[in-house]
Amino acid sequence: MSERRVTMADVAREAGVSPTTASFALSGRTDMRISDASRERVLEAARRLGYRPNVTARSLRTKSTQTIGLVSDRITTTPFAGDVIRGAMEAAREQDHLLFITEAGGDRAAESSLVHALLDRQVDAVIYASMFTRYVTPPKELFGRPVVLLNCLAPGFDAPSVVPDELEAGRDAARALLAAGHTGGIWAIGGHQAVPATPEGIIAGNERMRGLEEVLREGGAHLDGVIECDWDTLDGYREVSALLAAGTRPRALVCLADRVSFGAYQALGEAGLSVPGDVSVISFDDQDIASVLRPALTTLKLPHYQLGRLAVELILRGGPLEAAVHRVPMPLRERASLGAPPGSDTGIRRQPSRRPLR
């Protein structure tokens, strides 16, 4: 048999006060004449008895269930973006809110059903999340509801969006190249979007490239070429191998995703070229393997934790949710794959040349 739940009346009886006094003391009300001694007796009795407020009764009184629903496509089953969930959960827990996490797997019918289930449970707001930054059409059930779009954009939908600042990340990549002395011989591998076009590349690739080209141009530098390809290891290996086989010797590679960089490392190693002694490499995402590659990869980190956290914080700030785009910075992880161009004298200390791990 389950243990009987401690009630407000139990706390009042233990503290020797009326149920009304106990209620006001536990709710933090300061507009009633309750002595400090009585208030402390109530709080101590509640701690001693293990009293927990009745959430259902409180929600009827406050018009808030202190719950938030999160509907994603594939975030919960993707280790790479697990920090999105952790950031959202921690932000919710810090303010005594509960996060309901669901995943539709890209199935629109399942998505609609999940949204209905969350609304039936009277969640205070819904976070509509995507694994990759992309344009979306939220389910009709969310129109007119408190919603935050996480890692996606929906023009015309009245809700704030929280996305990585891919444009500024591209600028920061260019600034890092310029600071190392690179003004030419720079190739972008991966291009403006993953080919064939996928949700992963539609926004990220275009904004990363736009920021990169903008700052290089302002610094008197340029890209020697852009290779459009998918963002996988084999694609990076194939395209960099073909570039070298054609007689082109780049001084720096900007890989549009870390997976492309992994392949690029292998192609450079097979050609007898070292990173960064012969060719510098800079990338985006900061996947786990980036820090254990040899040399460790300089990359712009996708701020998964901060994205999830900010989405919840926007909801818990109170007030109406305004349809604005909130861009979260992608910090530069400076490691060992970016150095001065071969033969240059920039005053920058060169990293020792090391062959990549096979």
Side-chain angles (χ1 to χ4, degrees):
M1 181 180 294
S2 62
E3 186 177 336
R4 187 178 72 86
R5 185 186 183 94
V6 176
T7 67
M8 182 80 71
D10 295 328
V11 174
R13 188 164 45 250
E14 179 77 9
V17 300
S18 70
T20 301
T21 298
S23 175
F24 287 144
L26 290 171
S27 64
R29 292 276 297 272
T30 59
D31 56 338
M32 304 302 293
R33 294 182 178 178
I34 303 173
S35 69
D36 290 342
S38 294
R39 190 184 307 278
E40 183 55 37
R41 284 204 312 275
V42 170
L43 296 177
E44 175 57 31
R47 284 192 291 269
R48 191 164 53 249
L49 296 175
Y51 170 76
R52 291 182 295 112
N54 187 307
V55 175
T56 302
R58 183 175 59 188
S59 67
L60 292 173
R61 184 175 64 254
T62 63
K63 308 301 182 186
S64 169
T65 60
Q66 291 188 280
T67 58
I68 299 169
L70 186 149
V71 181
S72 79
D73 46 12
R74 294 180 176 85
I75 288 179
T76 62
T77 53
T78 308
F80 183 34
D83 277 350
V84 171
I85 301 300
R86 185 168 65 88
M89 289 177 62
E90 290 185 3
R93 186 171 61 245
E94 286 170 9
Q95 298 198 43
D96 296 322
H97 278 63
L98 186 66
L99 188 69
F100 291 140
I101 302 169
T102 63
E103 181 168 293
D107 185 324
R108 292 292 286 186
E111 183 179 83
S112 179
S113 177
L114 290 171
V115 169
H116 274 297
L118 292 172
L119 297 178
D120 287 345
R121 286 161 177 76
Q122 298 182 324
V123 294
D124 295 333
V126 173
I127 297 172
Y128 186 76
S130 172
M131 174 58 194
F132 300 117
T133 309
R134 61 190 178 98
Y135 292 105
V136 298
T137 303
K140 63 181 185 302
E141 293 85 0
L142 291 180
F143 281 73
R145 305 277 186 173
V147 175
V148 171
L149 302 174
L150 174 54
N151 208 26
C152 53
L153 300 164
F157 185 74
D158 189 19
S161 294
V162 178
V163 296
D165 196 345
E166 306 279 9
L167 184 62
E168 192 63 24
R171 292 170 178 152
D172 284 341
R175 293 181 186 118
L177 287 167
L178 292 171
H182 291 278
T183 57
I186 306 169
W187 284 74
I189 312 298
H192 295 78
Q193 63 181 36
V195 178
T198 64
E200 178 182 7
I202 289 173
I203 293 176
N206 283 327
E207 292 198 345
R208 291 172 183 182
M209 286 296 298
R210 186 152 56 96
L212 175 72
E213 292 172 311
E214 171 192 310
V215 170
L216 287 179
R217 186 168 56 251
E218 291 172 355
H222 63 277
L223 290 173
D224 278 22
V226 178
I227 296 176
E228 303 284 351
C229 67
D230 202 359
W231 291 0
D232 266 319
T233 301
L234 290 177
D235 299 282
Y237 173 78
R238 181 187 65 246
E239 299 300 340
V240 173
S241 294
L243 185 67
L244 297 173
T248 300
R249 175 68 64 86
R251 293 188 168 191
L253 297 177
V254 182
C255 296
L256 270 290
D258 288 345
R259 295 191 303 274
V260 177
S261 296
F262 307 157
Y265 266 47
Q266 295 304 306
L268 293 169
E270 288 183 4
L273 300 174
S274 65
V275 177
D278 298 309
V279 182
S280 287
V281 179
I282 189 169
S283 185
F284 298 85
D285 292 346
D286 194 27
Q287 292 191 17
D288 290 344
I289 199 172
S291 62
V292 298
L293 280 175
R294 292 296 178 265
L297 180 63
T298 294
T299 184
L300 283 298
K301 180 178 178 63
L302 277 171
H304 287 127
Y305 177 87
Q306 291 78 10
L307 291 170
R309 186 175 187 86
L310 180 56
V312 170
E313 289 175 346
L314 289 175
I315 292 169
L316 299 183
R317 285 176 186 174
L321 293 170
E322 299 180 359
V325 177
H326 300 265
R327 296 183 177 272
V328 180
M330 295 175 59
L332 175 66
R333 298 299 191 226
E334 296 185 71
R335 298 190 179 109
S337 66
L338 182 59
S344 67
D345 183 13
T346 64
I348 298 175
R349 185 177 178 182
R350 292 278 297 277
Q351 296 288 340
S353 298
R354 288 177 288 184
R355 295 290 291 271
L357 294 176
R358 292 285 180 174

